[in-house]
Amino acid sequence: QDWQVRYQQDTPVAPRFDVNAPDLYIPAMAFLTYILLAGLALGTQNRFSPDSLGLVASSALAWLLLEVLSVLLSLYLVTVSTDLTPIDLVAFAGYKYVGMIVGLVAGLLLGRVGYYVALTWCCLSIFVFMIRTLRLKLLSEAAAEGVLVRGAKNQLRMYLTMAIAAAQPLFMYWLTFHLLR
Amino acid sequence: MSSFEQFHIDFYQSNYTIEDQEEGCNSYGSDKNLCESRKRQAEEQPAGGAFVPSDMLLSPQSYSGSILQPACSPDAPSQLGYVDGFDEEPPLLEELGINFEHIWQKTLTVLNPMKPADGSIMNETDLTGPMVFCLALGATLLMAGKVHFGYVYGMSAIGCLAMHALLNLMSVSGVSHGCVASVLGYCLLPMVILSSAAVLFSLQGTPGTVLALFIIGWCSLSASKIFTSALAMEGQQLLIAYPCALLYGLFALLTVF
């Protein structure tokens, strides 16, 4: 299946026309579902109060903003010319919430073992997804097609891509393990 | 003028509307067709006036006592109608825009999500029913020992804002805040049933979880059904149902835990 974004244009295209264009529906719904599931996990452990729901929501939002801002800062420092808008970065950062939800559901239903198995699988998959997506956007044309171009600039960009992709599993673990004590 | 027959909504069974219709038609003879069709409808239903919702009006001055303009009959001597004669004031409920028949119809629509909904019932944004349902939810939560009025209010406000933003982004024609708030409030009725069940037995445990999931599905199904029929978004009912389910899931969390 072809996962590349069609419509290589300057203007962003709405998801009605391009199936692979990033849109904020899945990340937003995944974020809200994560908050709900966090409330459910706290409730089954008798740690629930409506205040804690707001606490989980605002802390997750704060971590999301922090991550997007740090990615923006690192993109600025590396001086890479890319067509990634901040909203695109928010969308990409939100995709890891899907993995978190799967991990939480597995943890609620199957215990800690199920949680770790599901989380490992989701971490790997989001790592691969981020590498593939960012490689198209950040690296130069030659490297995107698989040819290894030696050069300081490309190496720096490769490190940046790996760092962004590696940050995702870290966030996924950090934001879920305290809910399944 | 076939659209008049579609909107056979009897607003208020009172003699006032018929007399005023005729008065209005006589004094504003410009829209002859309008007056004639109204007179025909008034003859067809002598007991109650066939009342057209205000957004179908072509000449608002020839209609007095409409929902949005509780003002006078057109040939009254003074400009401020409701200051003039006590007899010519519209009834209080009509002035406030509370129509029990409509409220009951909308409640029945919510209670039966399997029946296909009429898209036109949500044309008037009516917040009375939703207010009653929110207060009922707060009262049943109070009976279960949880004083969560503020949380219910806050979550419904934020939920309405979020759904309004989402629906405006997803649909071709936009919606207003009042319409979204009205639909979401009406579909809160099954949640009241859940919280009254919570008074009788504790919902933590498998039967309580199953009941809560069933009620959430009921609420979001009817809300998405009304939204898709009102905004003509076919094929997107599940996409709308999921955010509704998230919102009602928040209320269910409040109720269960």
Side-chain angles (χ1 to χ4, degrees):
Chain A
Q1 263 185 340
D2 180 25
W3 295 107
Q4 234 185 10
V5 174
R6 303 164 225 159
Y7 285 93
Q8 299 279 355
Q9 293 171 353
D10 293 323
T11 56
V13 177
R16 265 180 221 258
F17 307 112
D18 179 5
V19 178
N20 284 334
D23 73 323
L24 277 172
Y25 183 85
I26 291 184
M29 295 303 139
F31 183 74
L32 294 175
T33 314
Y34 162 73
I35 296 174
L36 256 182
L37 275 180
L40 185 69
L42 288 177
T44 50
Q45 298 160 23
N46 281 329
R47 286 193 283 155
F48 180 79
S49 79
D51 293 332
S52 63
L53 209 61
L55 202 67
V56 168
S58 22
S59 68
L61 193 65
W63 281 113
L64 182 73
L65 280 177
L66 192 70
E67 181 193 346
V68 171
L69 285 177
S70 56
V71 169
L72 274 174
L73 180 69
S74 51
L75 283 177
Y76 171 72
L77 287 177
V78 172
T79 64
V80 59
S81 64
T82 171
D83 53 352
L84 277 180
T85 64
I87 296 283
D88 280 335
L89 290 176
V90 172
F92 289 138
Y95 280 121
K96 67 172 168 300
Y97 285 100
V98 183
M100 278 198 256
I101 292 167
V102 174
L104 270 180
V105 169
L108 283 174
L109 291 176
L110 304 170
R112 288 198 80 88
V113 176
Y115 166 64
Y116 280 123
V117 166
L119 199 67
T120 315
W121 169 252
C122 293
C123 288
L124 284 175
S125 58
I126 201 135
F127 189 71
V128 169
F129 168 72
M130 289 302 277
I131 295 257
R132 272 213 200 140
T133 319
L134 290 178
R135 199 175 57 160
L136 284 173
K137 304 265 186 174
L138 289 185
L139 298 182
S140 63
E141 295 300 322
E145 286 162 24
V147 178
L148 279 177
V149 178
R150 293 259 166 214
K153 210 163 68 154
N154 265 346
Q155 271 214 338
L156 196 54
R157 288 184 190 181
M158 179 67 79
Y159 283 147
L160 179 65
T161 316
M162 300 285 264
I164 295 177
Q168 310 289 319
L170 281 179
F171 276 116
M172 286 170 73
Y173 182 67
W174 176 258
L175 285 174
T176 47
F177 81 97
H178 66 276
L179 292 172
L180 285 173
R181 210 175 298 158
Chain B
M1 292 285 188
S2 62
S3 50
F4 279 125
E5 274 79 41
Q6 280 179 11
F7 287 88
H8 263 310
I9 307 172
D10 283 338
F11 182 65
Y12 222 74
Q13 312 260 349
S14 66
N15 291 329
Y16 169 79
T17 47
I18 299 186
E19 287 161 354
D20 237 36
Q21 270 185 18
E22 290 169 0
E23 272 182 353
C25 287
N26 286 333
S27 48
Y28 285 78
S30 52
D31 261 333
K32 284 280 190 309
N33 277 343
L34 199 65
C35 290
E36 278 168 12
S37 72
R38 280 191 199 141
K39 272 194 183 145
R40 243 183 285 126
Q41 285 196 330
E43 282 160 12
E44 281 167 12
Q45 302 175 1
F51 210 84
V52 178
S54 50
D55 55 352
M56 287 293 295
L57 286 178
L58 302 177
S59 57
Q61 289 106 1
S62 57
Y63 248 111
S64 33
S66 74
I67 304 173
L68 298 181
Q69 297 158 12
C72 50
S73 54
D75 54 356
S78 73
Q79 295 305 313
L80 307 167
Y82 50 88
V83 178
D84 195 40
F86 195 61
D87 321 319
E88 296 185 16
E89 269 183 26
L92 177 66
L93 284 180
E94 187 177 318
E95 205 169 308
L96 288 176
I98 302 176
N99 179 7
F100 285 121
E101 190 58 41
H102 281 191
I103 294 179
W104 185 240
Q105 277 178 7
K106 291 185 199 174
T107 313
L108 284 180
T109 313
V110 167
L111 285 178
N112 190 4
M114 290 303 143
K115 203 167 61 166
D118 186 17
S120 63
I121 60 173
M122 285 300 159
N123 270 342
E124 24 177 89
T125 68
D126 155 45
L127 286 179
T128 322
M131 276 298 148
V132 168
F133 292 151
C134 285
L135 285 175
L137 181 68
T140 43
L141 281 177
L142 190 66
M143 282 201 288
K146 308 173 194 172
V147 191
H148 286 329
F149 284 99
Y151 293 119
V152 166
Y153 173 65
M155 286 201 308
S156 51
I158 296 181
C160 283
L161 284 176
M163 277 308 290
H164 167 83
L166 185 73
L167 283 177
N168 272 337
L169 286 172
M170 278 179 70
S171 72
V172 177
S173 64
V175 281
S176 64
H177 281 97
C179 178
V180 173
S182 174
V183 175
L184 287 178
Y186 270 108
C187 298
L188 202 58
L189 180 61
M191 200 57 61
V192 178
I193 299 177
L194 180 71
S195 61
S196 46
V199 176
L200 301 171
F201 58 94
S202 166
L203 288 177
Q204 305 197 17
T206 315
T209 311
V210 169
L211 182 66
L213 286 175
F214 172 68
I215 297 274
I216 293 175
W218 183 2
C219 288
S220 45
L221 200 63
S222 44
S224 57
K225 182 193 67 162
I226 297 179
F227 275 132
T228 48
S229 63
L231 297 175
M233 298 194 290
E234 303 86 22
Q236 286 182 328
Q237 182 170 357
L238 272 186
L239 281 184
I240 297 291
Y242 190 67
C244 293
L246 289 181
L247 176 66
Y248 292 121
L250 280 177
F251 283 111
L253 267 184
L254 263 194
T255 310
V256 171
F257 293 117

